[in-house]
Structures are given as structure tokens and as C-alpha cells.
Amino acid sequence: MQAIFIDNIQYLIDGSGNSAATSPAGYGMRIVNGHIESVGASVLPQPGDQHIDASGLVIYPGWVNTHHHLFQSVLKGLAVGINERLFGWLNQVTFPRVDRVTEQTLRAGVRLGLAELLLSGTTTCADHHYIYHRALDPVMADLLFDEAEQLGMRLVLCRGGQLQQQVNRDYPSRTQPETMVQYQNDIKRLTQLYHQSSGDAMRRIVVAPNTPTFSMTPNELKSLADFARGLGLRMHSHLSETENYVEFCQQTHGCLPVEFVNQHGWLGDDVWFAHMVHVTEQEFELLGATQTGIAHCPASNGRLGSGIAPIWQMQQAGANISVGVDGAASNEQASMLAELRLAWLIQRAATRRPDHITVEQVVRWGSAGGAKVLGLDQVGQLKPGMAADLTMYRLDHVAHLGLHEPIYGPIISGQATPAMVMCQGNVVVKDGEIPNLDMQSLTESVRQATQHLA
Ligand SMILES: [Zn+2]
């Protein structure tokens, strides 16, 4: 039995969002076999426990990032796409390069993306990996699990897929789509190899077509939902990111996007959508009644000029809210801490209700909210029985000097460095560095991948 005792906890937010953040002077936390056994003022260490001193550090749950495209980590800041909106950016940045992704460029991008996440305090990543086409060896996606395991992170592989081409003239793809049989067979293969159903799973598979309105026919969408639920898998996709998505859906299918996916079995507490920027009040009700999940991606939505998602209204209606960094080709900084700081600011600006968009609320979106969306019910809160996924932040950046209440520091000032990150009780970041990562060789492989995809 491996036991760890975190001593002298002064600042802790547990991720539940229910209680106001407190500064619990003198708390202790005992972690046994990767899970939190107890936390509080009366918790005492046992003989033989490994001690960690939390004096002066701020403890938050490990972040749960619910929407990413890790391969894009080597496509940051391409000049051709820097001032484009979504469709122009897709046509200039990602689509022309998808069929040039090799195992080496993919590995470099995935390793870099996971490293960025870890160093911002993220312990779980849902990667919407969508670069599948007929000429690609699907086994390349297996390296995502390999890389996540080496760094000690939880990985949820949202297996993208596209079964038809150029339905929307504004949204062309240049690669040959897969067939439904290829797509479903690969999901079955991945599920058998990797999928864990436990509430603290380190590996999950999700059925995740690129976009429900463009990637396949409506009948195929419905049968894919039945297929996913038959295997006990969750479902994920992009939806309502820009006005064009909504217009295309209305012109082609005669209804709003949320109505369209509802007609094809794609709402529920086992489904979550990224973006959801352009959503009407009548759609809020459908999302809320079905407890559908949302991945809020404020940096990408800002970068591409897409707009601000009505997150608070969707939460009030009953939808489950989480946060994702989206791919680094439309963010350029895949830090969950930066994303959450932006969510805190932008949702205050949008709602004009700083009393609703509290730090505790934002921490919940980034932790327990994300875990709920992913169905990881033993992840995302610093409470007994939960997986020991946590970050202990140092507040020693110049931005933190003058700060009166340290417990809010990582969100309100940003820039905090993790003194330590744990995932399932294992130390995955120590003193701002990742023990299992050779940064020099990563830098060189990223340089080569960036050159290859220039
Ligand atoms: Zn995306």
C-alpha cells in the first residue's frame, strides 16, 4: 500500500463549486493507492506515510480538458491563417496539411500538447482526433495512448470520423473519407484494446464524428448513436461554432442544429458538444432537459472571431458545462489555466454578473464539470473516494506579488507554476518540470515536425 500525506494545506478549492473557497489553515490530505482517503483539519498521517509539505501552495483539482486536437500543437501561428475566421482557417491551416501528418509529426504534436497541458495543471485530456482518411493507417492513433501513459495522464480518445466529402462548399475536405464499416470496425478495435468503464478510468474511447451536420448523412448519424450506446461509449462532436453552421443546418435540414441532433439521437447526458457559440433560447431548453454536455472553448472562439458562447444560460437551463482548450492551431496556448482565466473574464463580460461567474464556479467547470461530461465520476473533486488528481501551484511570479487572497491567485492572476501535479496519486510534474520528459529531444522533434508541416 502506497500512502501519501499532504501536510500544512493552507489554500484549497475542492472543485465541487458548492461552497465558497476557504483558506483551510492546517488541513491535511491522506492519499492511499491513488485515491483520496480523507481530507480536513482532523486528518492525521499514519506511520510510514510519505510526507509532502503544502505550505504557501494553492491546491486545485487536476484540470479536465474536454476538447482538444493534440496533432495541431505543431501548427501554431501559421501566417496564412492568422487573420482568418473558421472556414478560411480550416482551408488554409488544417485541411491542406492533414494528409501530410506522419507518425513522427503526430508524436511530436501529441507529446508537446500533453506537456503543455500537464504544466498548466491538467491531468485528464479528451482529444478529438479527427485526422482519419482512407490512406491513413488508423493504428497511428494508438500512439496517443502510448504518449499519455508515458507522461502519466488520463486520455479520452474521441475517435473522429468523416464518411462523406464536400457536403458544404465552404467546408471542403481534401482527403478520401472512410466507410462506415471502416469507422465502426476501428472503434470496436480501440474499445477492445483500451476502453475502461470505471469512474477513474485512465483510458476511454468516445464516438466522435467531426461535425454531425457535415460528416455523414442523417441516417448514418442516427445509426452511429445506436452503435455508440450499444458499446456503452459516450459521444462527442463540434456544434454551432459559427453562424455558418447554423445557416447550413437550417438550409439543408430545415431546423436548428440542436433540434437536428435531437432528431437523430444525439442529445443526452452521454453526449457533449464543443463550442456551442450560436445557440437560441429554444435550444437551451433541449440541452437542459437532456443534460447534454458543453465544452466551452473561449480562446479558440475569440481567436477565430466566432463569438462568445452563452455558457451561463445553458447551465441555468440544465446543461453540463466544461472547458476545453481546442487545438493549438486556433489557440496557440494550450494551457487550461489560461483558458479558465479567459472563461472567468469573458463570461463575466458576457453576463455582466461577476457574482454568478465566481472563481469557485470556474474551477468547477475546469474540474468536476469536465469529469461529469466525460462520465468520470471518481475524478474532478478533492474529496474522499476520489482519484488523487491535483495541482499544487506556486505563486511566485511577479503577477502574484501584492495579491491579498492567494487561494484565487491561479485563476485571477494566471501565470502560476505547478510545484507538483499528481494524477491518480502519481507525481507527474515536480518543481515545474515533467520527470518523464526529455525536453531537449521534444524541442528537436517539434522543430522537425513544424518544418515538415510548414
Ligand atoms: Zn475543435
Side-chain angles (χ1 to χ4, degrees):
M1 185 179 73
Q2 190 205 2
I4 299 166
F5 190 78
I6 304 180
D7 228 338
N8 301 317
I9 297 176
Q10 293 173 278
Y11 313 110
L12 178 144
I13 298 184
D14 69 11
S16 68
N18 297 327
S19 54
T22 51
S23 296
Y27 262 36
M29 181 189 292
R30 190 156 191 265
I31 296 166
V32 179
N33 290 335
H35 289 76
I36 298 170
E37 182 196 67
S38 47
V39 54
S42 57
V43 176
L44 296 171
Q46 303 292 318
D49 286 2
Q50 180 197 341
H51 279 253
I52 294 172
D53 185 5
S55 303
L57 303 174
V58 178
I59 304 185
Y60 285 175
W63 302 128
V64 179
N65 170 32
T66 60
H67 186 70
H68 206 343
H69 309 290
L70 286 164
F71 85 96
Q72 291 182 11
S73 304
V74 290
L75 294 176
K76 296 174 186 168
L78 276 147
V80 286
I82 200 78
N83 297 322
E84 293 285 346
R85 298 195 66 200
L86 178 68
F87 288 154
W89 171 87
L90 284 168
N91 288 324
Q92 296 289 335
V93 175
T94 54
F95 287 158
R97 290 170 179 80
V98 164
D99 58 356
R100 285 158 53 193
V101 172
T102 63
E103 186 177 337
Q104 287 73 24
T105 58
L106 181 61
R107 197 174 284 282
V110 169
R111 194 173 293 176
L112 171 61
L114 292 174
E116 279 191 87
L117 287 172
L118 267 183
L119 293 173
S120 72
T122 311
T123 45
T124 300
C125 177
D127 190 51
H128 192 183
H129 188 64
Y130 62 78
I131 50 171
Y132 294 90
H133 50 82
R134 260 177 227 184
L136 182 93
D137 180 355
V139 177
M140 263 171 56
D142 298 40
L143 75 80
L144 277 111
F145 284 116
D146 185 34
E147 288 295 320
E149 185 174 5
Q150 283 188 37
L151 298 181
M153 290 178 73
R154 292 178 205 286
L155 185 86
V156 176
L157 173 59
C158 306
R159 206 295 192 182
Q162 182 177 339
L163 308 182
Q164 62 185 8
Q165 204 165 19
Q166 281 188 297
V167 172
N168 182 347
R169 64 183 165 74
D170 296 323
Y171 194 81
S173 56
R174 298 177 191 188
T175 46
Q176 278 295 314
E178 294 177 287
T179 64
M180 184 64 114
V181 171
Q182 282 176 311
Y183 186 29
Q184 293 190 343
N185 281 347
D186 192 45
I187 290 172
K188 282 186 206 157
R189 177 187 73 85
L190 290 165
T191 303
Q192 278 169 0
L193 270 175
Y194 300 111
H195 184 75
Q196 299 164 345
S197 51
S198 61
D200 63 347
M202 294 297 288
R203 295 171 158 187
R204 282 270 178 98
I205 299 294
V206 168
V207 175
N210 304 6
T211 304
T213 42
F214 304 149
S215 304
M216 55 191 62
T217 66
N219 283 342
E220 286 171 333
L221 191 64
K222 174 78 181 76
S223 75
L224 195 62
D226 296 340
F227 169 79
R229 290 189 171 114
L231 289 176
L233 302 179
R234 299 176 93 80
M235 304 187 288
H236 176 55
S237 198
H238 296 101
L239 202 72
S240 301
E241 182 171 352
T242 63
E243 297 97 326
N244 314 49
Y245 273 66
V246 180
E247 282 163 20
F248 175 81
C249 192
Q250 284 181 309
Q251 283 165 12
T252 312
H253 304 298
C255 57
L256 294 164
V258 175
E259 294 170 334
F260 174 74
V261 294
N262 186 40
Q263 288 161 16
H264 298 90
W266 272 76
L267 290 183
D269 63 1
D270 57 351
V271 185
W272 83 104
F273 293 108
H275 304 300
M276 302 299 279
V277 176
H278 298 276
V279 188
T280 61
E281 271 182 38
Q282 66 205 81
E283 292 173 290
F284 295 165
E285 282 175 34
L286 273 173
L287 293 166
T290 53
Q291 294 182 34
T292 300
I294 315 287
H296 181 34
C297 306
S300 176
N301 298 154
R303 153 79 154 84
L304 296 170
S306 303
I308 301 173
I311 291 304
W312 181 252
Q313 292 93 319
M314 291 192 278
Q315 175 164 298
Q316 289 300 97
N320 290 319
I321 307 301
S322 67
V323 169
V325 298
D326 205 2
S330 65
N331 184 335
E332 278 80 17
Q333 181 180 189
S335 155
M336 270 294 279
L337 190 57
E339 199 75 26
L340 288 160
R341 181 166 194 267
L342 182 58
W344 178 65
L345 292 169
I346 213 162
Q347 290 300 328
R348 284 183 166 210
T351 58
R352 302 181 193 184
R353 291 300 302 261
D355 56 327
H356 289 337
I357 314 299
T358 61
V359 170
E360 296 86 341
Q361 179 67 247
V362 170
V363 170
R364 188 182 73 80
W365 288 344
S367 54
K372 187 168 173 62
V373 159
L374 300 182
L376 294 168
D377 55 17
Q378 282 179 279
V379 171
Q381 293 187 55
L382 300 179
K383 291 187 169 177
M386 291 283 177
D389 290 12
L390 58 86
T391 300
M392 302 164 70
Y393 288 108
R394 286 200 312 253
L395 294 181
D396 54 3
H397 189 274
V398 68
H400 306 125
L401 298 176
L403 190 64
H404 282 252
E405 186 49 85
I407 200 164
Y408 297 130
I411 295 290
I412 66 175
S413 299
Q415 323 236 31
T417 307
M420 183 174 283
V421 180
M422 274 187 204
C423 183
Q424 197 87 344
N426 296 313
V427 175
V428 288
V429 175
K430 196 167 184 212
D431 299 327
E433 292 188 1
I434 301 169
N436 296 339
L437 182 71
D438 179 344
M439 195 50 94
Q440 211 173 348
S441 99
L442 174 63
T443 304
E444 178 53 25
S445 62
V446 167
R447 192 189 61 75
Q448 287 175 10
T450 309
Q451 240 170 23
H452 177 76
L453 294 174

